Amino acid sequence: MPPVHTEQQAGDDQETDQYWRQNLLVSFFGSFTTIIAMTLLLPFLPLYVEQLGIEDHAQIVQWSGIAYGATFFAAALVAPLWGRMADRYGRKLMLVRASLGMAIAMSLIGMATNVWQLVALRLFAGLAGGYASGSTILVATQTPKARTAWALGVLSSGIMAGNLVGPLIGGALPPIIGIRATFWLAGGVIFITFLATSFFIREDKKPKEKHSKQQARQSEGVWAQIPDKRPIIAMLITGTLLMVANMSVEPIITVYVAQLLDDQRSLTMISGVVMAAAALGSILSASKLGKIADQIGHTKVIIAALAISALLLIPQAFVTESWQLIILRFLMGLALGGLLPCITSVIRHNVPHTVSGSVLGLSTSAQYAGQVIGPLTGGFIGGHFGMRAVFLGTCLMMAAGAFYNWHIFARTKQA
């Protein structure tokens, strides 16, 4: 059943109605550009590491992995902090900070002279950044609740589109303008995001509570202010599962596709299409599933998405042609596209406004944890038990997630 809207919530929705579309447009653009900047180095990162003085092939691979993962590791650590700061000082301020910090970080990465500086600057990008997660908090809290999942679906499409376009731009630009100039160009584009955020984001302020009530809430911890913690814990686990499902097959895709091809010359191209298929499916379905969730209930979409993705993972373990895998990954992307908007919507509906940023920051950290756990788990299982075991193991995790969410929300009667 849909969440009950109180008179206060109705007032909040009327208050947020003035600027939320404008905020969504700027957040979409900013998230798209910053995610592109985060991922465009994938195709040429080993080449840049080699330019910075690393010659041994094994060390190039090792340092490339460290440099790439450094940003997400740092971002996972500070996401709850930025969420709490957003609750205290405003969501717009966090976006201004993140866009300026990333513009500086990307420009400095293009000036690195050794691999240690590269890793340090990638860490700095993770610590100072977080525009996409900050945008999620802003859109979640500044959009009328009846439109939250749809708006978050649109934003999610921009984030996933950035993940899709980033490596493509990273493969095209360096041969034309050079690796360092590619970073400088990315920094310049993010600076435009900084300007757009500064001048066009409008954050509606909630009515100030009485001083005594405000002091009492500040003295409480975040979890103490959440009436029912079970839905929130379920969403943190679901966010982690989503990223594990998306990332667990990343280490084995190329090897798995190689087993399906007779002509190995097209291996990298087919592997790229397989990886892009899921992202494309999610881009196409995110806003539509978000709109459906606003109408029928967010948790129903979450449970259905987890269950369908679990079923789609089974045939992926037994494909005999690459085109079969591409279609199945695309369908899985369609199923999973609505998960992130629905997760964020459920959190918003179940926590007070005063701590929504802190809890959404925890949700972001949980998702980053899934991005780390997924490749590690997939690589370990694939290496020790075979490729099929990765798909089947992920299937069991998604099925367990669907059952867990059904169990929690059947008991709490949340929508």
Side-chain angles (χ1 to χ4, degrees), residues 149-150 153-154 157 282-295 301 338:
W150 174 82
V154 172
S157 294
S282 294
I283 291 168
L284 295 176
S285 69
S287 61
K288 292 181 177 61
L289 287 177
K291 186 175 182 179
I292 292 171
D294 284 332
Q295 296 171 346
V301 173

Side-chain angles (χ1 to χ4, degrees), residues 378-397:
F380 177 82
I381 294 175
H384 288 78
F385 302 101
M387 309 298 171
R388 290 178 176 175
V390 178
F391 293 100
L392 297 177
T394 307
C395 165
L396 292 176
M397 283 193 292

Side-chain angles (χ1 to χ4, degrees), residues 183-253:
F183 284 117
W184 297 334
L185 179 61
V189 172
I190 298 176
F191 188 74
I192 295 174
T193 294
F194 161 72
L195 295 176
T197 301
S198 300
F199 290 109
F200 296 113
I201 288 283
R202 296 289 184 269
E203 182 175 7
D204 295 317
K205 301 296 183 184
K206 297 297 176 184
K208 291 186 177 179
E209 298 177 284
K210 292 182 180 179
H211 183 67
S212 58
K213 187 183 293 186
Q214 206 171 22
Q215 278 189 327
R217 285 195 172 186
Q218 287 177 350
S219 65
E220 294 179 359
V222 172
W223 285 100
Q225 298 184 46
I226 302 174
D228 188 350
K229 300 170 181 58
R230 290 173 296 176
I232 307 306
I233 294 173
M235 292 304 96
L236 297 180
I237 293 173
T238 302
T240 304
L241 278 178
L242 169 62
M243 293 305 170
V244 169
N246 281 333
M247 302 298 293
S248 62
V249 301
E250 293 293 324
I252 69 161
I253 280 292

Side-chain angles (χ1 to χ4, degrees), residues 235-273:
M235 292 304 96
L236 297 180
I237 293 173
T238 302
T240 304
L241 278 178
L242 169 62
M243 293 305 170
V244 169
N246 281 333
M247 302 298 293
S248 62
V249 301
E250 293 293 324
I252 69 161
I253 280 292
T254 303
V255 180
Y256 192 55
V257 170
Q259 298 176 359
L260 306 175
L261 295 177
D262 295 325
D263 184 4
Q264 298 296 307
R265 289 176 297 179
S266 59
L267 174 60
T268 54
M269 183 188 72
I270 298 298
S271 298
V273 172

